[in-house]
Amino acid sequence: MSELTLRAKQLDAADELAPLRSRFALDDVVYLDGNSLGALPAHVPDRLADVVRREWGELRIRSWTESGWWTAPERIGDRIAPLVGAAPGQVVVGDSTSVNVFKALVGAVRLAGDDRTEILVDATTFPTDGYIAESAARLTGRTLRALTPEEVPGALGPRTAAVLLNHVDYRTGRLHDLPSLTAAIHAAGALAVWDLCHSAGALPVGLDEHGVDLAVGCTYKYLNGGPGSPAFLYVRRELQPRFDSPLPGWNSHADPFGMSPDYAPAPGAVRGRVGTPDILSMLALEAALDVWEGVGIDAVRAKSLALTDFFLECVSAYTEPGRVEPVTPAEHGRRGSQVSLRCADAGEVMKRLIEEGVVGDFRQPDVLRFGFTPLYTTFADAERAARTLAALLG
Ligand SMILES: *Cc1c(COP(=O)(O)O)cnc(C)c1O
């Protein structure tokens, strides 16, 4: 046994989170794509079958009240809240991340007031955020400027309405400084909107602590909610009474069954809703969140850093110098829960890695992406992935 396989064994034996892996349906594939689609928690199929057979099949319409369907968006929001550092009553689940980016950004611009004429957006963002920001700017009559998160503090001013930023860069795995960027945005009198797709469930976010105004995030990545599971929207409590959603559907009405032709927004997180919730996906997500019972996000972060450190060490030990170049920062304070490696022929290399039972993904133009989900990824996985990669490249 090599020194690194031995170390992996010891690290796994000492890992307090190791027993959580058995809560997931996994096989001997090294699954490092949980930042794209989280693995299936093993109990979800039975729960979903019960939702379909009994709640839908037998109770039918009664389930809206008797099975708690109607209140699911806020109830599940309150289960996600502690994972992102939010007190109850500020997170609502529903719609896709893209739709929530729209609600949050237009809502932020409306909160900022008419004299603030510019929106800033992260130029390195996952494309959908940029597309939505462009449309939001056009609809609200604001100008849009795209720049890197590092350039944001220097670009802020009395005309800045809102800034849309990613907490972790989806391509490089770089973690941006949410506390200091939020503080700089507030010092300029603007609103901070954060996209937490690659941090929710992977590391502490501290939304309340850092005074974030609005935030959105995915639930099918590190929260394992299942393909297309609904996203979440956070609106800070103090802003809720003035939050003016650009998609004021009947589900966000103060009296939805009053069927009034006039709109009156509900108080609280409910105001972030639009239409009828996608109950099947939503209840799959709710069940998936059970795996977090008794798990602290700080322990998850500690393991995530240990896993990515160990993977980087294995890559560097096994791979000929110069064959791959880490693009994820080595510094812990700037690293999300993934490792991205720049590599010639990255698309072809990933295809072959997957054939060898190591599943990561490829991002244009030359990036191999490996996501580490501390709830189920082992140190042995990290070692095997690095060893398989090196064998392919060598
Ligand atoms: C995954 C991801 C999305 C996905 O948006 P959908 O509307 O769910 O397709 C959006 N933004 C970021 C930063 C992401 O990583």
Side-chain angles (χ1 to χ4, degrees):
M1 198 180 290
S2 80
E3 196 262 327
L4 287 169
T5 40
L6 187 65
R7 279 260 307 288
K9 242 179 160 29
Q10 291 164 342
L11 287 164
D12 281 324
D15 171 22
E16 281 171 38
L17 301 183
L20 296 174
R21 183 178 165 94
S22 66
R23 298 187 190 175
F24 291 86
L26 289 163
D27 46 27
D28 7 311
V29 166
V30 174
Y31 190 65
L32 301 179
D33 217 357
N35 53 342
S36 217
L37 177 65
L40 171 69
H43 66 288
V44 168
D46 285 348
R47 169 64 186 137
L48 208 49
D50 181 58
V51 171
V52 173
R53 293 222 170 82
R54 189 178 54 84
E55 296 187 1
W56 180 14
E58 294 170 25
L59 295 175
R60 292 178 286 269
I61 196 107
R62 290 167 56 190
S63 275
W64 282 107
T65 46
E66 291 175 29
S67 304
W69 287 359
W70 186 262
T71 49
E74 294 76 43
R75 181 177 72 242
I76 302 171
D78 279 345
R79 290 192 61 187
I80 294 173
L83 297 174
V84 292
Q90 301 172 100
V91 178
V92 67
V93 171
D95 311 307
S96 65
T97 297
S98 302
V99 172
N100 282 297
V101 167
F102 180 75
K103 292 182 221 170
L105 190 55
V106 174
V109 170
R110 288 177 174 179
L111 284 162
D114 290 339
D115 51 334
R116 291 184 172 263
T117 55
E118 187 173 66
I119 299 171
L120 303 181
V121 66
D122 186 343
T124 58
T125 189
F126 188 86
T128 204
D129 298 45
Y131 306 155
I132 300 275
E134 196 278 328
S135 176
R138 236 169 342 122
L139 279 164
T140 57
R142 277 16 180 228
T143 55
L144 180 71
R145 190 148 47 119
L147 64 199
T148 65
E150 296 71 43
E151 291 168 333
V152 163
L156 293 161
R159 294 194 311 117
T160 315
V163 185
L164 172 62
L165 292 166
N166 288 276
H167 196 191
V168 175
D169 185 294
Y170 78 101
R171 190 187 279 119
T172 63
R174 176 170 183 162
L175 171 66
H176 295 297
D177 189 344
L178 179 144
S180 84
L181 285 165
T182 302
I185 293 164
H186 286 166
L191 284 97
V193 183
W194 284 93
D195 183 325
L196 310 177
C197 281
H198 287 272
S199 58
L203 50 99
V205 179
L207 289 177
D208 287 351
E209 182 188 349
H210 303 301
V212 167
D213 299 299
L214 296 108
V216 304
C218 256
T219 64
Y220 52 79
K221 293 171 181 166
Y222 293 100
L223 296 174
N224 314 302
S229 60
F232 65 88
L233 170 69
Y234 165 92
V235 181
R236 182 153 59 86
R237 191 181 307 286
E238 302 91 284
L239 297 177
Q240 287 174 345
R242 290 193 299 125
F243 174 66
D244 179 9
S245 172
L247 294 172
W250 75 291
N251 266 236
S252 68
H253 197 284
D255 179 18
F257 292 96
M259 301 292 168
S260 164
D262 301 314
Y263 182 70
V270 178
R271 195 174 287 207
R273 284 193 184 198
V274 184
T276 306
D278 34 10
I279 290 298
L280 298 184
S281 289
M282 199 167 279
L283 298 188
L285 164 64
E286 181 172 39
L289 291 170
D290 290 348
V291 299
W292 289 91
E293 233 133 80
V295 179
I297 195 72
D298 291 315
V300 165
R301 175 60 169 165
K303 181 175 172 187
S304 159
L305 289 171
L307 276 169
T308 49
D309 273 345
F310 184 62
F311 178 67
L312 284 164
E313 184 186 340
C314 292
V315 167
S316 128
Y318 289 151
T319 313
E320 264 177 61
R323 283 299 270 126
V324 296
E325 179 206 343
V327 290
T328 305
E331 200 185 314
H332 284 177
R334 291 166 172 253
R335 190 193 305 163
S337 198
Q338 76 183 52
V339 170
S340 297
L341 302 175
R342 192 166 282 140
C343 170
D345 294 327
E348 189 54 33
V349 170
M350 185 50 73
K351 230 177 88 192
R352 294 188 47 207
L353 263 178
I354 292 169
E355 285 163 12
E356 299 286 327
V358 175
V359 178
D361 59 24
F362 160 64
R363 286 293 177 267
Q364 292 285 357
D366 57 358
V367 170
L368 299 171
R369 225 173 50 140
F370 301 94
F372 290 82
T373 305
L375 299 185
Y376 54 76
T377 307
T378 65
F379 290 90
D381 285 339
E383 189 276 337
R384 191 176 131 202
R387 186 159 33 88
T388 309
L389 174 65
L392 277 178
L393 294 175

